[in-house]
């Protein structure tokens, strides 16, 4: 199977490699990473300890924070989607303490 060498370091890949029949370099292969980054969605993350508010309230607060961070990074608020939620109770801290991790993503603003 041929190997497609793309990205800024594509020039480091030798023209011939053992076990690879062909090394292919497409036009503008050096900017493939930049194109992918420009097309990617924008994310917002929260990893925080909450105490005294219960599971649902902690997740709601963390989600709101993650959404605000994604929006501040350039995400369109109408497109935000929660992709990860983790709730970990912490038994050795008082007050129903828990570590909550939330990740949201969204499309960039269309100009």
């Amino acid at each position: 199977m041929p190997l497609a060498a793309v990205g800024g370091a594509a020039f480091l890949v030798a023209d011939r490699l053992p076990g690879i029949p062909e090394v292919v370099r497409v036009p503008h292969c050096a900017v493939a990473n930049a194109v992918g980054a420009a097309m990617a969605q924008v994310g917002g993350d929260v990893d925080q300890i909450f105490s005294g508010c219960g599971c649902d309230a902690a997740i709601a607060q963390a989600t709101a924070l993650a959404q605000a961070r994604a929006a501040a990074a350039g995400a369109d608020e109408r497109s935000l989607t929660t992709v990860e939620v983790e709730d970990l109770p912490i038994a050795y801290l008082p007050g129903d303490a828990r570590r909550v991790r939330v990740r949201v993503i969204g499309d960039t603003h269309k100009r």
Side-chain angles (χ1 to χ4, degrees):
M1 178 174 268
L3 170 74
V6 297
F11 72 94
L12 294 173
V13 178
D15 290 332
R16 295 173 198 231
L17 295 170
I20 305 293
E22 179 184 13
V23 175
V24 178
R25 288 180 178 78
V26 297
H28 310 293
C29 67
V31 297
N33 290 350
V35 171
M39 294 173 53
Q41 291 182 303
V42 179
D45 297 292
V46 169
D47 186 348
Q48 185 172 318
I49 304 293
F50 292 86
S51 181
C53 60
C55 175
D56 292 339
I59 291 172
Q61 288 179 38
T63 300
L65 284 169
Q67 290 172 342
R69 289 177 182 173
D76 182 346
E77 292 180 33
R78 296 167 296 179
S79 71
L80 293 177
T81 301
T82 302
V83 294
E84 182 179 357
V85 175
E86 185 177 20
D87 173 49
L88 301 166
I90 303 173
Y92 55 85
L93 289 178
D96 193 26
R98 56 198 341 98
R99 177 183 176 195
V100 178
R101 292 180 54 233
V102 174
R103 182 164 198 273
V104 301
I105 58 171
D107 299 327
T108 57
H109 287 285
K110 307 243 185 307
R111 297 182 199 268

